[in-house]
Structure formats: C-alpha cells, structure tokens
Amino acid sequence: MNFSTNITQTKARDSYTIAVTKNVIVVALYFSINYINGMLVHTFFKHEIFNENPRYILFIHMVINDMSQLTIAVLIHIISYVFYIINFSLCCFLIMTGVFTTLNTPLNLASMAVERYIAICNPLHHLQICTVRRTYILIGLIWVMGAITILPDLFILLATEPLSFFLSTIYCSRDTVYRSPYLVEKRNISYLVYLSFVWLTLFYTYLRIMFTAKATGADARKARNTILLHGLQLLLCMFTYIDPLIESSLVSLFPMHLNDIRFTSYIFLHILPRFISPIVYGWRDQMFRAYLQKHLSCIRLKEQKKRKTQTS
C-alpha cells in the first residue's frame, strides 16, 4: 500500500478551510465504518455460536484487520495535515503496520474461499479439516506471511541508511521511507506473487463450486456468489496497490487539481472499500444478520428506557 495522502511534498498545500473540510470528511467516514465494524465484532464475541465456526472466525479477523488498516491510514492522513513532517522512526512503524494489514486482506480472502470450497465440495470432511484450532493457526500463518514480506525491508533500511536518517523528520509516505529502488522492485514482485496466488485460489474454488452448484442446490449457488464477492473485494485491493499509477495518470490529465485527485483516490481506494466487509459478510449472512438485528433492537430498547427515565 502506498499510504500517501493528498498533501504533496512540494509547497502546494490546501487552504485552511479545505484542509479542515477534508479531514472532517475522513474522520466522519472513519467513525461511521468502525462503528459498524465494531458492532459486528461485538456480535461475534457475544455469541458462542460464531466463535465455534471457522467461517465466522475468518470473517471477524478480516473485519478487525480492516479496522486496524483504516486506523493507520486515517492516522497518517491526519498527521500529514497537522504536522506535515514527523519523526522517521514513527513514520516507519506506522507504514510497516499499515502494510502488514494490507497484505493480510488478500490472504484472508483466499482462506475464506478455500473454507467455502471445502464446505460445499467436501461436506463430509469439512468438520475434520476446518476446525477452530486450525483456523487460528491459519490466521497466524497469514500474519507470518506478511512479516516475511515486510521485515526484510526494515533490515535493508537498517543496513543501508545512516543512523541520523532514523532520527530525522520526513513527510510520511511509503515512498519516502523505502527510497531504495531495490525495495521498490521487491515490493512490486511481492505484490505480483501475492495477488497471483489469491486470484488462482479464487478462480479454482469458484469453478469447482460452480460445477457442484449444477448438481446440488441453493447452498452451493450461494457459496459461488460469495466467492464472486471475494473477487470484487480483491479487485478493490488491487486498486490500492496501483494507487500511485492511477494518481499519476489523473494528475497528468488534470495537473491543476493535484490535491483533489489525491484526496478523491484516498477516499475511494483506502476508506470506502472498508464498507464492503460488513455489508457483504455481515448483513448478507442470514444468521449473522439475525443476531445483529437482535443486538440493535436491544440498543433501541435501552435508549427508549433511558429517555423515559430522563423525561419522568
């Protein structure tokens, strides 16, 4: 993930009013999305039925991962406006954490697709293969894969940059932290490997489930549609990876609107995709939706009782 924001590293900066407006929009979207995701997390941990199902464990891991990724992205965005430049070591920590969570998303999508494939195509062995313990081990492997990808970048930085650079202040973006062309090349290769692996997994599971759906019923067709939604979400992930290319193409066409282009791409590529998980996997799932509606009904009843006590 590029983790660049709508402020350039040149002297061109937004006016005070525009800067406040943009940050209010970002913060409002952040709290709205994380409030919805927070209700999903609360519903998951409150009901034991979800804690024992690998499908929902992987789903809630993706929700928590999205919340973490969104927090880092918004934090970097606000810092770039308030302070403009920050300590390199702090920026490096934020960027690495953001990249960790960004790399987790495609692998989590692939894991969810494989779980659906096993449930539909090998239902008799699903309980033996997809256990709760193995699901948590799989989540651990997802984080290990992210560490294997990003930690070498830190080691290269420690080996190539002088100590004074780690104590300096910089404009916080991935391009300013990882300046070496070797790191850029490594990043492109790792993205290609990651996304190719996930796309192949999604295509394979989708085709197998599609053939199964012709011979079975609605469950297989629903699983097939779910994997199609996985593909849509992965496509949005790919837009995140090619964000610099998209920005440079638009800036070349509209050079006078550089900041507006960066802000718009930031909203559509880094923030709004976080809306997909709660809608696709939370509200679309009948069982999860039922428990979520029950939770919302309890909140409304509590609010109504509170208002009655205040008026009486």
Side-chain angles (χ1 to χ4, degrees):
M1 189 173 183
N2 190 44
F3 283 99
S4 60
T5 59
N6 65 306
I7 294 181
T8 67
Q9 298 178 54
T10 66
K11 294 181 179 180
R13 302 181 68 177
D14 288 324
S15 66
Y16 176 79
T17 303
I18 294 176
V20 170
T21 302
K22 288 180 177 180
N23 279 279
V24 168
I25 293 173
V26 168
V27 172
L29 288 172
Y30 168 76
F31 280 110
S32 299
I33 295 172
N34 272 1
Y35 176 75
I36 297 172
N37 284 335
M39 287 194 298
L40 296 177
V41 173
H42 176 77
T43 302
F44 172 83
F45 285 107
K46 188 177 181 180
H47 302 285
E48 190 67 25
I49 189 173
F50 298 122
N51 291 264
E52 298 174 350
N53 192 317
R55 177 185 179 184
Y56 294 109
I57 293 173
L58 288 171
F59 159 65
I60 213 65
H61 171 256
M62 186 168 62
V63 171
I64 294 173
N65 186 79
D66 282 352
M67 294 174 69
S68 303
Q69 191 274 336
L70 184 60
T71 299
I72 294 297
V74 171
L75 184 60
I76 293 175
H77 175 89
I78 294 175
I79 285 175
S80 68
Y81 273 98
V82 177
F83 301 105
Y84 193 67
I85 58 174
I86 62 172
N87 177 263
F88 173 84
S89 299
L90 175 60
C91 176
C92 185
F93 172 77
L94 293 174
I95 294 295
M96 287 188 63
T97 306
V99 172
F100 257 128
T101 53
T102 302
L103 292 174
N104 285 346
T105 300
L107 293 179
N108 204 100
L109 289 171
S111 301
M112 294 174 71
V114 170
E115 189 277 332
R116 286 293 83 200
Y117 160 73
I118 296 173
I120 299 301
C121 298
N122 293 287
L124 298 178
H125 299 91
H126 180 256
L127 292 178
Q128 288 77 24
I129 298 174
C130 299
T131 63
V132 172
R133 180 174 177 272
R134 288 178 177 176
T135 303
Y136 283 111
I137 291 174
L138 178 61
I139 291 173
L141 290 175
I142 290 174
W143 284 88
V144 169
M145 289 296 294
I148 292 174
T149 301
I150 194 65
L151 285 181
D153 294 353
L154 177 61
F155 297 146
I156 294 174
L157 277 178
L158 293 172
T160 57
E161 299 290 352
L163 180 61
S164 59
F165 186 62
F166 291 88
L167 302 176
S168 63
T169 55
I170 62 167
Y171 174 84
C172 191
S173 71
R174 182 163 185 172
D175 292 335
T176 55
V177 172
Y178 303 111
R179 303 180 299 175
S180 171
Y182 298 106
L183 291 177
V184 174
E185 188 67 23
K186 173 188 167 297
R187 178 184 65 187
N188 294 335
I189 294 174
S190 64
Y191 284 174
L192 180 62
V193 172
Y194 258 67
L195 296 177
S196 298
F197 169 76
V198 175
W199 275 118
L200 288 173
T201 302
L202 291 181
F203 277 126
Y204 177 78
T205 53
Y206 174 77
L207 291 175
R208 291 297 303 269
I209 290 175
M210 184 178 67
F211 293 137
T212 305
K214 293 180 180 180
T216 57
D219 288 341
R221 287 192 291 271
K222 185 178 178 181
R224 180 191 62 189
N225 294 335
T226 299
I227 293 180
L228 279 177
L229 292 171
H230 289 341
L232 174 61
Q233 193 165 9
L234 181 60
L235 189 62
L236 291 173
C237 290
M238 290 181 66
F239 284 137
T240 302
Y241 294 126
I242 61 174
D243 182 17
L245 179 61
I246 295 174
E247 283 187 6
S248 61
S249 300
L250 291 174
V251 168
S252 64
L253 295 174
F254 309 101
M256 300 300 295
H257 300 281
L258 173 62
N259 285 355
D260 294 333
I261 290 172
R262 289 196 167 183
F263 178 74
T264 303
S265 66
Y266 173 79
I267 293 294
F268 280 95
L269 299 181
H270 298 287
I271 293 185
L272 291 183
R274 308 281 88 75
F275 263 129
I276 291 183
S277 294
I279 294 174
V280 170
Y281 308 105
W283 193 254
R284 183 172 170 268
D285 185 270
Q286 293 181 357
M287 186 167 69
F288 208 101
R289 183 172 67 247
Y291 281 93
L292 185 60
Q293 287 175 330
K294 188 185 300 183
H295 173 63
L296 293 174
S297 299
C298 292
I299 292 177
R300 292 194 196 99
L301 289 174
K302 289 180 181 178
E303 290 179 349
Q304 290 174 358
K305 290 180 181 179
K306 187 177 180 180
R307 289 171 186 169
K308 289 180 180 179
T309 55
Q310 289 176 349
T311 54
S312 60

